[in-house]
Amino acid sequence: MQQELMLLEKELLKNAQQRYAFIKSQVELGDLPKISLVESKQIIVDREQRMAESNNTYMIAKQQLLTYLNISEELLDQNFEIPSLKELEFKAVTFETAYAKMVKNRPELEILHYEADKIKQERKFASLMKYPQFDAAVYGVHDLQYNNGVKFSLEMAFPIEQRKYEGKSSEMPLKKEKNDYEVKKELLEAERIISNAVKTLHTLQQNYKSVLDEVDLAQQLERAEQRKFEIGQSELFMLNQRELRTLQVKQKKLEYNFRILMNLLEIEKETGEMKIPVYAQKE
């Protein structure tokens, strides 16, 4: 987003420089007083300062990206380009769809479901402990009198540790109850997270649509003020205020754009569908 903010400041400075050239020509023609050049130059100086601050903020953000990627600036500039924020195409996200995906992919729930299956198997195994153990064996033998033959062996062991079976049996309902409680708790937490994220997304998307209209209105007022200034019916101060207001509204639009993208990424992360970000590689 810092790159887009810097471009807005650059555009604002360019407008001031072009206006200075226009005012200078008008002063030379005698249509404007010389003091108008001083005021115009003052605006340029102010916007140069804004541009310098914006550029510095952008460079700091870029250095943070380089640190995160652990690559040099030269390598980044030669092989990659930082993607810019594009005009948003509204992505329809409903609570029901996001919640269903989250329940399906949430690792905490997968672990709890695995524990539930494990408890079920342990319960089956514990129930076998009350039955006697029966072993049968068949093997060949050789006898001097009867020659070769076959011998059968039967062994039966009756469980004498009935307390062990009873202890295991009493543990299973408690384990299941605890696991069911954790599943319910995790589902409620998932519902809370997704509900808040989707509500926030819908609010941001509404505001984004609204700010598009606000940008259009601000630009109309700026163009009207520009025409009034050119025919001598407005002052440079008023035109400067109009341009600054347009800049503020465009900045607000970028901020909503950025917050919506971050919110969508948060929803993708929580639903287990987040993709590894890929930086645009230069051809």
Side-chain angles (χ1 to χ4, degrees), residues 24-281:
K24 184 178 180 182
S25 65
Q26 294 299 104
V27 169
E28 290 173 351
L29 291 173
D31 294 336
L32 287 175
K34 290 185 179 180
I35 193 65
S36 298
L37 281 175
V38 177
E39 187 178 3
S40 180
K41 185 64 177 177
Q42 183 184 29
I43 293 173
I44 289 176
V45 171
D46 175 69
R47 295 186 182 182
E48 285 175 341
Q49 293 171 355
R50 293 172 61 101
M51 181 66 193
E53 289 182 5
S54 179
N55 183 64
N56 182 62
T57 303
Y58 168 72
M59 293 306 299
I60 291 174
K62 187 176 181 181
Q63 288 300 321
Q64 291 173 338
L65 175 63
L66 291 172
T67 302
Y68 175 76
L69 297 177
N70 194 27
I71 61 175
S72 66
E73 184 174 0
E74 182 180 5
L75 182 62
L76 179 70
D77 293 339
Q78 287 178 354
N79 298 280
F80 300 90
E81 57 184 6
I82 300 174
S84 58
L85 288 175
K86 298 179 181 179
E87 289 292 327
L88 284 175
E89 295 180 3
F90 284 98
K91 183 177 181 180
V93 178
T94 64
F95 168 79
E96 291 76 13
T97 302
Y99 181 72
K101 290 178 180 178
M102 187 182 204
V103 170
K104 179 182 177 182
N105 299 325
R106 196 169 178 83
E108 293 86 352
L109 285 171
E110 289 183 12
I111 293 172
L112 290 171
H113 290 322
Y114 168 78
E115 286 296 325
D117 291 338
K118 184 180 175 182
I119 292 170
K120 188 177 180 180
Q121 294 301 321
E122 287 179 351
R123 196 170 188 175
K124 287 182 178 180
F125 177 76
S127 66
L128 296 175
M129 297 177 65
K130 64 180 179 180
Y131 298 107
Q133 181 178 349
F134 178 80
D135 295 320
V138 179
Y139 50 92
V141 297
H142 178 76
D143 187 90
L144 293 177
Q145 183 178 356
Y146 299 104
N147 296 323
N148 295 329
V150 177
K151 182 176 284 189
F152 294 89
S153 173
L154 296 175
E155 292 184 5
M156 185 174 290
F158 292 89
I160 59 175
E161 298 183 10
Q162 289 294 328
R163 290 183 180 178
K164 186 175 181 182
Y165 158 70
E166 293 171 358
K168 282 285 184 181
S169 297
S170 63
E171 284 179 10
M172 294 304 106
L174 294 176
K175 280 188 175 183
K176 185 178 184 302
E177 184 180 348
K178 181 181 179 182
N179 192 75
D180 290 345
Y181 170 78
E182 292 296 331
V183 170
K184 184 178 180 180
K185 179 182 175 183
E186 196 63 40
L187 287 172
L188 288 173
E189 178 67 9
E191 181 179 353
R192 182 189 65 80
I193 292 172
I194 288 298
S195 177
N196 290 342
V198 172
K199 286 178 182 177
T200 299
L201 176 64
H202 290 168
T203 300
L204 289 172
Q205 288 178 333
Q206 280 185 334
N207 287 346
Y208 183 79
K209 289 180 180 179
S210 176
V211 84
L212 292 179
D213 294 333
E214 191 177 3
V215 169
D216 183 58
L217 292 172
Q219 288 176 329
Q220 289 184 45
L221 289 171
E222 181 187 328
R223 287 193 295 267
E225 203 69 49
Q226 174 69 31
R227 289 193 294 269
K228 287 171 63 178
F229 175 77
E230 290 174 355
I231 61 176
Q233 293 184 358
S234 180
E235 297 179 355
L236 186 57
F237 172 79
M238 287 300 301
L239 181 55
N240 181 55
Q241 293 301 111
R242 292 292 188 194
E243 288 181 338
L244 290 176
R245 178 56 187 164
T246 301
L247 174 68
Q248 290 172 353
V249 176
K250 286 182 176 180
Q251 287 174 337
K252 191 197 300 186
K253 173 191 167 186
L254 283 174
E255 288 171 3
Y256 278 127
N257 192 327
F258 180 75
R259 289 174 63 189
I260 289 172
L261 291 175
M262 291 298 100
N263 187 269
L264 286 171
L265 287 175
E266 180 66 20
I267 292 174
E268 287 180 1
K269 178 178 78 71
E270 293 295 343
T271 55
E273 294 192 330
M274 187 172 185
K275 301 177 181 63
I276 299 174
V278 179
Y279 293 91
Q281 187 167 358

